[in-house]
Amino acid sequence: MGEFGIGQPVRRKEDVRLLTGGGEFTDDINLEAQVYAAFVRSPHANAKISAIDTLAARSMDGVIAVYTGQDLVDAGVGLLINDANYTNRNGKPMHKPTRQVMPVAQTRFVGEVLAMVVAETPAQARDAAEAVEIDYDVLPAIASTAHALDEGAPLVWPEHGENLVVHWEYGDKDDVEAKLAAAHTRVRVDLVNNRLIVSPMEPRSASAEYDAASGSLTVYTPSQGGRRLQMMLARGLLKMAPEKVRIISRDTGGGFGIRSKMYPETVMVAFAARALGRPVKWRGDRSETFVSDYHGRDQINVAEMGLDASGRASVLKVETLLNVGAYLSENGVRLPMEGGGRIIPCMYDIPDFYFSVKPMFTNTICTDTYRGAGRPEANFIMERLMDAGAKALGMSREDIRRRNFITEAQMPYKTHLGFTLDSGDFDGTMQMALDAADWTGFEARRAESASRGKLRGVGLATFIEGAGSRPVEGMRMRFEENGDVTLFAGTYSHGQGHETVYAQLVNEFLGVDFDKVHLIDGDTATSPETSNGTFGSRSSMVGGMGVKRASEAVIAKGRKIAAHLLQTEAERVVFENGVFRAQSSSVTLAEVATASRDASKMPEGMALGLDESVVFENDVENFPNGAHVCELEIDPETGILEILNYVAVDDCGVILNPFIVHGQVYGGVMQGVGQALTENVVYDASGQLLSASYMDYGMPRAAHMPMMEALFNVVPAKTNELGVKGAGEAGACGAPPAILSAVGDALSHIGVSHIDMPLTPEKVWRAIQEASAVKAA
Amino acid sequence: MHNFNYHRAADVADASGKLTSLEDPKILAGGMTLLPTLKNRLAAPSDLIDLAAIADLKGVSVEGDEVVVRAMTPHAVVAASAEVQKALPALAQLAGNIGDPAVRHRGTIGGSVANSDPAADYPAGCVGLDATIVTNKRKIAADDFFLGLFETALEEGEVITSVRFKIPTRAHYMKFRHPASGYAVVGVMVAQYGSKARVAVTGAGPCVFRLSEMEAALEKSFAPSSIANIKVSAEQLMGDIHCSAEYRAHLITVYARRAVEAMV
Amino acid sequence: MDIEVKMTVNGKAVSGKVEARTLLVQFIREHLRMTGTHVGCDTTQCGCCVVHVDGVAMKSCTMLAVQAEGKAITTIEGLAGPDGELHPMQQAFRDHHGLQCGFCTPGMVMMGVDIANRLPGADEKTVRHQLEGNICRCTGYQGIVEAIMDASAVMNAARS
Ligand SMILES: Cc1cc2nc3c(=O)[nH]c(=O)nc-3n(C[C@H](O)[C@H](O)[C@H](O)COP(=O)(O)OP(=O)(O)OC[C@H]3O[C@@H](n4cnc5c(N)ncnc54)[C@H](O)[C@@H]3O)c2cc1C
Ligand code: FES
Ligand code: FES
């Protein structure tokens, strides 16, 4: 359609505000007579709390209140809940310890909130927080994913007798073992999917105010959509009627998965505001977010694949250890199964599959969803296996993939754990990437690098995603008197540009001027009742389809009104470009909207107004996929690695706004680059976080990448009428295996067979050293 | 941050007087080290004495065979100075690679030298370029100034007023940036003074140090091959979650050799 | 114990009583209630807080308000023209999709202007290295780097 319709690189509506200092992030909001919270956090990874003395803190300047876990118990505050339900094959249910907002008797990770101080100024609150005295009996702690299941490891939940949450299995282990043993070629990879700090740039914050007269509570916080937070806070935690709790997120500075969660600090700020009758505000320091925001990834995978001589894989075994932290977060424990497991074996058709997942407790903050939420881990496993298979058989990396791709002819294709893939041109997508990266011309470039003493490598990764989880979402559309259209959504843009994309859709479907369409999201007072929020690359589908459904309903209603106005039958009225036409006469949508407010102009028996409220429901997700090629160069003397070229070809289905989708790809790739090269959470043996600030945790910077090239292979999704596939998480799936593949390529001919993320210069250097030592011997 | 009293020193004597008379005072220069420390409540001085208003603590000049950088000169000014670029390009380059642009706009040479951070760049510049640290009380050879981890020869009431670098025949600084903080994991300043050579290393040990074996080898023959095979012991070096002591030891040899390569 | 500070912010004379420990960013955000300048870390690494002090980029989270006495501060709110016309750097960020969530953006834009002022015509590699002190988690920096290079050219042309 026109310049603002589907597929156009429309400049974003939200930008002018955000570029001129007009954003409204939580810490930008100040409430009349607000007071400030500061938290006392555990310095120990595992300790019994023998006493908390708040007396000194209470008597300090400006201090209004000090709360401990016991105060919450006394006030009847509920628990933080996890509703996952997995069982061991022997029928034993998973271990589900409860989590108090602030624990009373024992703390289980460094940074856990143990007390809260409220004071007149932020500085007074912090000063007083330092004066809260807590006596601990320090216990041995365990933080290591590799060792938490060892015999004799300290137990996070001693009453449970082990750190294992559950041993979850799929498939027939003995059968798969036998088939692996019988296979022509059997390859194995041992992988660490390193733990990450999610680190959206806006630190976590919360403000709350309580109106005693109406008994209503308003909480301002960054989020990925407030409805779920509202339900949890109201029903589970503060025992209030949901309609009395309102969650507002004006602007949110990035989410990446961890913002859809309920955190103790949010509960506490809300609790204190209600208890004190004064607005309470808290902005987390970055150091607080490092220890208390949920972390991402943290898996160890051992995977084996059996292939025939032609490179065709037929059997797969994956064993996963997952570090869930000290408690069960909302989604952490599900990720290997429901996040990643459902998509395994990813783009490949492998009939036999055994999958074992052992989530474990450790004395660390919980892990939870982070960009991709299990799918990057799953793709990483499959891509490393494919590279290993290619090497074992002396095949090219593209050939072995081609040999095993699920083809379009096989679709709809059911994965082992229950996804049905509808569309995708995996071979075509891969070929586009190879062509764009001049894959076949690589050896000349390798030689050129070698002449400068550098090791050059090129890597390939293909991947598939499952996007748009929980595909149910409401959307409301309101017609304003001035002809503008306002959308009320439960999806919530925290960087994705929904204000722009939804307006494009309204422009496309209803012909309303792009500038006359507005979006109100991030407020449970106005968002649709049925709403899950924005996560898992779902909003283009569920939000986009919501706009489509609402538009259709408006057109249907509008045709009846137009028919009445034009004195004809609704069946004779056609709608096009914002105009209802019947033969030579016509009325505009705006005129119909105006008429709809006037009973005298409406057909008999029709309710006034053109506004619509719809719920889009789908029974299946969509499956974005892609192929990334990364070319890099290693200085063998120092291990320093430089990315020289990066090509990303993505099949995100129909592109609503290429400008915005490119941005999602670039951002996702950079997070993958971070995971592969610089980012790593390190706890010491006692459970202290060593990578606790940007001084020690390597965030990817601008200089880590050259300009990358992002292309699309558009294969419309068949599972939704827009044909869209989620674009948000693809980059994070593609980059780590593409980079590992390239490093493998650069180093394999000197004998390096394995290296774990992150590929720090020292690790690369050591791998080269060890390989050369072996060669020399 | 705990609160403190703030003083704007009128001149060096005023600053020195306050340093000796107040309870637990600290000099405030660019604040790029001190303020983050205070923000994280790792220190709680009673008083901060700001040197920013003292005009004659600012600026760079070439005086005879020395480049003089006054204490309150920010790194960005050193990096951009045409005079420094001409007389001692290695120093300009060192200053231009400290931290990031905003840090370079505020952080000063006096603060950096006084702090003796094991990962700071200027200490390698000072020792490698045979500098003299000038204070309100005396002149201290850089070789005698840096004593250990965050430890210098500065005494109570002593204020650094300038650093005087001896202009070498040629010099080059190579730095391996810390992947997270940007500080030096290893920084090597190699300088040639006629028949003499200096090799100073920062980042790797608890404090900047010289490598006499390399210096001697370079004095025999100022060529990369002279030092390419001189191994550094990892024993006294530091390791952290990013780079082990052994790796640092290896990098020192590589970076020293590359510094020489860049010069010859 | 409170100290009176005076400075100009975006061309306007302002003053206030602050504690010695009040940071410039707190003065701007909490006293002046101008919230475009953000705080993203406590170790001076992220650059969300970058403002110009006497025309030069500085991290306002690592500067006391009293250290800004008598200085001219420019924040993101002071960059656009009086009629609301975007500064070339702001426009370029918009044209190159240099922002997603917008949290790092004020600091990025202010640093971008500083880079363009200091190093007109800087190439891609230089721009990337100059962004060492500014972290963005959303954009992968691609649009940011393009924007700074583009705006730099526009600003350069306007100067000559
Ligand atoms: C993000 C970031 C990155 C950085 N990266 C690097 C890097 O890569 N390399 C590097 O070398 N440094 C780096 N730094 C440190 C920076 O160079 C600091 O500027 C420097 O270390 C201290 O200088 P300052 O002027 O800021 O001193 P301040 O922080 O003001 O003071 C530091 C200490 O020196 C004392 N002091 C200051 N001036 C004097 C004086 N004239 N006489 C006596 N004592 C004095 C103070 O009392 C204080 O104890 C970085 C800093 C940051 C925030
Ligand atoms: S807030 Fe200033 S650098 Fe992060
Ligand atoms: S746009 Fe979100 S951090 Fe940069």
Side-chain angles (χ1 to χ4, degrees):
Chain A
M1 242 196 90
E3 112 188 72
F4 293 104
I6 287 179
Q8 296 303 313
V10 179
R11 299 291 178 266
R12 298 201 319 167
K13 276 174 176 280
E14 31 287 85
D15 285 358
V16 171
R17 181 168 56 82
L18 294 170
L19 278 164
T20 53
E24 261 193 294
F25 298 91
T26 298
D27 189 41
D28 300 344
I29 296 165
N30 290 296
L31 304 169
E32 190 64 30
Q34 69 193 7
V35 293
Y36 299 85
F39 292 96
V40 182
R41 293 175 188 277
S42 171
H44 303 295
N46 196 13
K48 293 241 187 283
I49 301 165
S50 45
I52 303 185
D53 184 353
T54 61
L55 215 62
R58 276 175 208 281
S59 65
M60 285 174 67
D61 270 0
V63 173
I64 298 163
V66 182
Y67 298 107
T68 66
Q70 191 58 49
D71 297 316
L72 302 189
V73 173
D74 296 346
V77 172
L79 301 169
L80 292 162
I81 297 293
N82 169 287
D83 60 9
N85 258 319
Y86 296 100
T87 46
N88 294 273
R89 277 206 168 149
N90 64 12
K92 189 177 150 197
M94 68 188 279
H95 183 51
K96 291 182 70 165
T98 54
R99 180 176 184 186
Q100 292 176 312
V101 173
M102 294 196 288
V104 174
Q106 185 165 351
T107 176
R108 288 184 170 81
F109 67 91
V110 170
E112 184 165 28
V113 173
L114 302 181
M116 178 209 217
V117 174
V118 182
E120 295 288 347
T121 72
Q124 287 170 336
R126 274 152 203 246
D127 290 344
E130 270 186 7
V132 172
E133 295 217 6
I134 305 183
D135 291 339
Y136 300 95
D137 292 326
V138 180
L139 301 167
I142 178 79
S144 155
T145 316
H147 296 297
L149 297 182
D150 288 356
E151 193 77 35
L155 296 180
V156 181
W157 298 97
E159 61 274 35
H160 176 53
E162 58 182 354
N163 287 324
L164 185 70
V165 180
V166 65
H167 182 199
W168 180 91
E169 292 169 279
Y170 167 85
D172 185 334
K173 185 174 184 182
D174 294 338
D175 180 52
V176 162
E177 297 270 14
K179 285 179 172 146
L180 278 170
H184 171 274
T185 296
R186 174 179 187 167
V187 290
R188 168 181 164 138
V189 293
D190 291 73
L191 305 172
V192 173
N193 209 291
N194 41 326
R195 185 178 179 116
L196 305 174
I197 305 271
V198 177
S199 196
M201 289 318 293
E202 180 196 9
R204 196 149 50 77
S205 317
S207 289
E209 73 188 319
Y210 184 70
D211 178 43
S214 64
S216 55
L217 178 71
T218 305
V219 179
Y220 299 84
T221 181
S223 80
Q224 297 180 207
R227 185 67 72 206
R228 278 167 4 109
L229 300 184
Q230 174 201 24
M231 293 303 160
M232 277 185 262
L233 193 59
R235 292 209 179 110
L237 291 152
L238 297 182
K239 321 285 184 197
M240 295 171 69
E243 62 274 16
K244 295 290 184 194
V245 175
R246 178 178 179 190
I247 310 279
I248 299 178
S249 312
R250 294 261 161 79
D251 282 305
T252 290
F256 315 115
I258 57 164
R259 299 272 210 212
S260 53
K261 309 300 175 322
M262 179 57 73
Y263 288 92
E265 294 87 345
T266 318
V267 184
M268 285 308 304
V269 164
F271 171 81
R274 186 177 65 175
L276 298 171
R278 282 182 77 176
V280 178
K281 175 169 181 169
W282 170 71
R283 177 183 65 76
D285 281 346
R286 181 59 62 184
S287 54
E288 293 186 273
T289 71
F290 263 86
V291 292
S292 68
D293 277 9
Y294 291 154
H295 291 176
R297 314 282 192 252
D298 204 346
Q299 293 188 8
I300 293 178
N301 315 102
V302 178
E304 292 188 87
M305 184 168 75
L307 307 111
D308 68 16
S310 75
R312 181 81 181 85
S314 59
V315 55
L316 174 69
K317 180 174 126 188
V318 178
E319 292 174 305
T320 290
L321 302 179
L322 167 73
N323 187 336
V324 301
Y327 301 93
L328 294 172
S329 64
E330 283 154 51
N331 287 322
V333 72
R334 303 175 204 272
L335 298 181
M337 301 78 125
E338 288 167 65
R342 288 212 284 162
I343 204 82
I344 293 182
C346 302
M347 301 181 121
Y348 310 107
D349 174 31
I350 305 180
D352 287 303
F353 179 37
Y354 169 73
F355 188 22
S356 148
V357 181
K358 291 182 176 174
M360 68 187 76
F361 293 111
T362 62
N363 292 110
T364 64
I365 175 68
C366 304
T367 54
D368 205 304
T369 48
Y370 171 51
R371 203 166 195 160
R375 281 100 69 194
E377 296 92 319
N379 282 288
F380 190 65
I381 294 167
M382 292 313 302
E383 292 310 288
R384 298 312 297 140
L385 277 173
M386 283 297 155
D387 274 17
K391 200 172 157 199
L393 288 167
M395 289 176 78
S396 76
R397 287 169 288 173
E398 61 277 25
D399 279 347
I400 194 166
R401 286 173 170 80
R402 229 170 248 139
R403 193 97 189 82
N404 290 290
F405 279 149
I406 297 161
T407 62
E408 285 186 281
Q410 287 172 286
M411 294 180 199
Y413 179 95
K414 243 176 116 58
T415 67
H416 290 277
L417 277 107
F419 271 144
T420 304
L421 311 186
D422 63 298
S423 63
D425 167 22
F426 303 157
D427 195 2
T429 300
M430 181 174 77
Q431 195 55 49
M432 265 180 87
L434 297 175
D435 292 344
D438 186 22
W439 182 263
T440 49
F442 173 72
E443 288 307 325
R445 299 193 292 279
R446 189 193 317 262
E448 189 279 323
S449 292
S451 74
R452 290 182 283 109
K454 298 281 173 68
L455 302 170
R456 198 174 183 121
V458 67
L460 165 70
T462 56
F463 60 88
I464 186 163
E465 265 248 77
S469 62
R470 289 183 228 195
V472 184
E473 191 69 37
M475 181 68 70
R476 287 205 294 132
M477 186 180 279
R478 187 172 78 191
F479 287 81
E480 312 295 346
E481 300 216 351
N482 65 359
D484 286 10
V485 170
T486 307
L487 295 170
F488 297 89
T491 56
Y492 172 61
S493 182
H494 45 286
Q496 297 87 343
H498 296 174
E499 202 177 331
T500 305
V501 175
Y502 291 172
Q504 285 177 258
L505 291 173
V506 173
N507 174 260
E508 174 90 22
F509 299 137
L510 295 180
V512 178
D513 277 0
F514 176 75
D515 290 333
K516 290 172 86 57
V517 185
H518 313 283
L519 171 66
I520 294 181
D521 60 0
D523 184 349
T524 56
T526 56
S527 69
E529 208 47 46
T530 305
S531 158
N532 282 302
T534 288
F535 54 87
S537 306
R538 71 194 291 275
S539 300
S540 60
M541 178 173 85
V542 298
M545 282 303 300
V547 175
K548 185 158 194 285
R549 289 280 181 273
S551 302
E552 287 162 355
V554 163
I555 292 168
K557 201 152 49 176
R559 281 172 72 193
K560 288 188 196 148
I561 303 169
H564 185 70
L565 295 173
L566 300 173
Q567 300 186 325
T568 179
E569 268 92 62
E571 296 72 46
R572 294 177 170 237
V573 177
V574 290
F575 180 73
E576 214 178 49
N577 292 338
V579 181
F580 292 95
R581 249 176 252 286
Q583 275 128 354
S584 58
S585 55
S586 67
V587 285
T588 64
L589 177 65
E591 288 164 344
V592 167
T594 307
S596 77
R597 292 190 187 93
D598 182 348
S600 71
K601 298 195 168 137
M602 290 287 279
E604 191 98 6
M606 232 178 123
L608 288 187
L610 206 52
D611 302 351
E612 266 302 337
S613 186
V614 299
V615 174
F616 169 74
E617 225 178 315
N618 213 7
D619 48 12
V620 63
E621 282 96 332
N622 59 70
F623 304 95
N625 57 85
H628 290 193
V629 174
C630 173
E631 192 162 325
L632 49 76
E633 199 174 69
I634 292 168
D635 174 354
E637 226 180 2
T638 59
I640 292 176
L641 177 165
E642 188 187 0
I643 295 177
L644 301 174
N645 189 30
Y646 198 101
V647 174
V649 180
D650 283 282
D651 167 11
C652 307
V654 172
I655 307 288
L656 301 180
N657 181 332
F659 203 53
I660 286 175
V661 179
H662 273 139
Q664 289 296 317
V665 173
Y666 300 146
V669 166
M670 196 52 136
Q671 291 187 342
V673 169
Q675 168 159 34
L677 300 186
T678 60
E679 295 184 45
N680 197 27
V681 172
V682 184
Y683 283 96
D684 72 8
S686 71
Q688 294 292 332
L689 182 64
L690 299 182
S691 52
S693 79
Y694 292 146
M695 294 284 281
D696 303 296
Y697 185 80
M699 290 288 278
R701 316 278 167 125
H704 282 111
M705 275 291 268
M707 287 297 174
M708 56 184 121
E709 188 178 358
L711 305 168
F712 301 121
N713 183 15
V714 176
V715 182
K718 294 179 182 155
T719 54
N720 68 79
E721 292 158 34
L722 287 171
V724 295
K725 301 176 184 176
E729 294 161 299
C733 289
I739 292 169
L740 268 278
S741 178
V743 170
D745 181 48
L747 300 185
S748 68
H749 61 280
I750 62 166
V752 175
S753 59
H754 179 75
I755 180 165
D756 279 324
M757 298 190 291
L759 302 168
T760 62
E762 173 160 7
K763 259 197 227 163
V764 174
W765 172 74
R766 274 188 190 282
I768 296 171
Q769 292 295 301
E770 279 156 26
S772 335
V774 170
K775 248 192 189 161
Chain B
M1 200 176 337
H2 294 275
N3 210 2
F4 45 78
N5 302 306
Y6 172 82
H7 312 268
R8 206 168 279 129
D11 52 33
V12 174
D14 179 25
S16 171
K18 290 199 162 84
L19 271 180
T20 35
S21 64
L22 295 169
E23 188 191 330
D24 178 20
K26 265 214 172 298
I27 287 179
L28 175 64
M32 290 295 106
T33 293
L34 188 56
L35 293 178
T37 311
L38 300 191
K39 282 204 290 179
N40 287 320
R41 296 184 172 232
L42 298 172
S46 64
D47 296 80
L48 292 193
I49 303 158
D50 189 349
L51 303 184
I54 308 177
D56 55 0
L57 286 185
K58 277 180 210 151
V60 291
S61 52
V62 175
E63 299 175 11
D65 64 348
E66 289 180 322
V67 169
V68 182
V69 182
R70 272 163 268 281
M72 286 296 287
T73 312
H75 312 325
V77 170
V78 176
S81 154
E83 269 183 298
V84 179
Q85 284 174 2
K86 187 154 167 276
L88 220 178
L91 185 65
Q93 185 223 346
L94 176 149
N97 274 303
I98 294 175
D100 61 63
V103 166
R104 294 195 287 273
H105 284 145
R106 285 199 70 69
T108 68
I109 190 167
S112 179
V113 170
N115 200 45
S116 186
D117 187 311
D121 294 290
Y122 264 127
C126 293
V127 173
L129 298 170
D130 198 9
T132 305
I133 318 296
V134 183
T135 76
N136 57 332
K137 299 194 173 148
R138 56 188 169 137
K139 294 182 172 176
I140 312 166
D143 282 341
D144 304 325
F145 182 85
F146 300 99
L147 302 182
L149 191 71
F150 298 108
E151 200 192 329
T152 68
L154 285 177
E155 287 162 5
E156 202 179 89
E158 204 163 4
V159 180
I160 299 175
T161 55
S162 68
V163 181
R164 308 179 74 94
F165 295 91
K166 202 169 289 158
I167 297 171
T169 317
R170 49 191 172 175
H172 194 80
Y173 182 66
M174 292 279 307
K175 171 183 185 178
F176 181 104
R177 288 178 79 93
H178 188 280
S181 74
Y183 277 81
V185 165
V186 162
V188 188
M189 176 66 84
V190 181
Q192 185 185 26
Y193 289 91
S195 61
K196 292 279 167 202
R198 280 182 165 254
V199 180
V201 179
T202 189
C207 170
V208 60
F209 60 91
R210 287 172 66 181
L211 283 172
S212 46
E213 195 186 346
M214 283 198 191
E215 291 177 354
L218 288 171
E219 284 168 6
K220 275 206 197 101
S221 161
F222 200 83
S225 58
S226 308
I227 56 173
N229 294 316
I230 298 183
K231 294 226 180 322
V232 177
S233 161
E235 225 161 88
Q236 307 294 323
L237 303 186
M238 299 186 307
D240 62 21
I241 58 175
H242 292 273
C243 301
S244 68
E246 197 189 330
Y247 182 55
R248 282 179 155 92
H250 165 75
L251 287 178
I252 292 170
T253 304
V254 174
Y255 277 54
R257 192 201 75 221
R258 288 186 181 181
V260 178
E261 277 169 0
M263 286 184 266
V264 298
Chain C
M1 214 155 64
D2 282 3
I3 306 170
E4 170 91 14
V5 287
K6 292 202 188 86
M7 63 190 87
T8 66
V9 175
N10 300 330
K12 275 203 220 84
V14 300
S15 63
K17 277 201 176 320
V18 298
E19 284 188 323
R21 62 174 159 177
T22 303
L23 298 166
L24 177 59
V25 71
Q26 289 173 312
F27 182 69
I28 294 169
R29 288 181 56 84
E30 292 162 24
H31 291 247
L32 304 180
R33 290 280 159 105
M34 295 169 65
T35 55
T37 304
H38 297 155
V39 176
C41 74
D42 20 76
T43 51
T44 321
Q45 239 101 21
C46 75
C48 293
C49 62
V50 168
V51 300
H52 291 187
V53 179
D54 289 344
V56 171
M58 293 186 181
K59 290 180 165 173
S60 62
C61 72
T62 311
M63 185 168 172
L64 301 173
V66 289
Q67 289 179 290
E69 172 71 29
K71 310 253 185 231
I73 312 293
T74 310
T75 69
I76 190 71
E77 289 93 341
L79 215 52
D83 51 352
E85 193 198 342
L86 295 181
H87 183 279
M89 190 60 70
Q90 292 168 314
Q91 186 60 47
F93 266 68
R94 195 169 182 222
D95 290 341
H96 292 275
H97 194 23
L99 65 154
Q100 289 182 22
C101 77
F103 194 80
C104 72
T105 309
M108 285 286 180
V109 169
M110 297 311 286
M111 181 50 80
V113 173
D114 183 75
I115 294 170
N117 286 341
R118 282 184 293 115
L119 304 164
D123 62 9
E124 184 202 329
K125 256 211 155 95
T126 307
V127 170
R128 287 184 182 274
H129 283 287
Q130 288 284 320
L131 289 174
E132 178 63 32
N134 291 75
I135 303 176
C136 173
R137 194 52 150 168
C138 298
T139 63
Y141 303 98
Q142 182 129 333
I144 294 173
V145 174
E146 287 171 354
I148 293 173
M149 291 172 67
D150 184 5
S152 187
V154 173
M155 288 164 66
N156 220 1
R159 266 191 292 260
S160 57

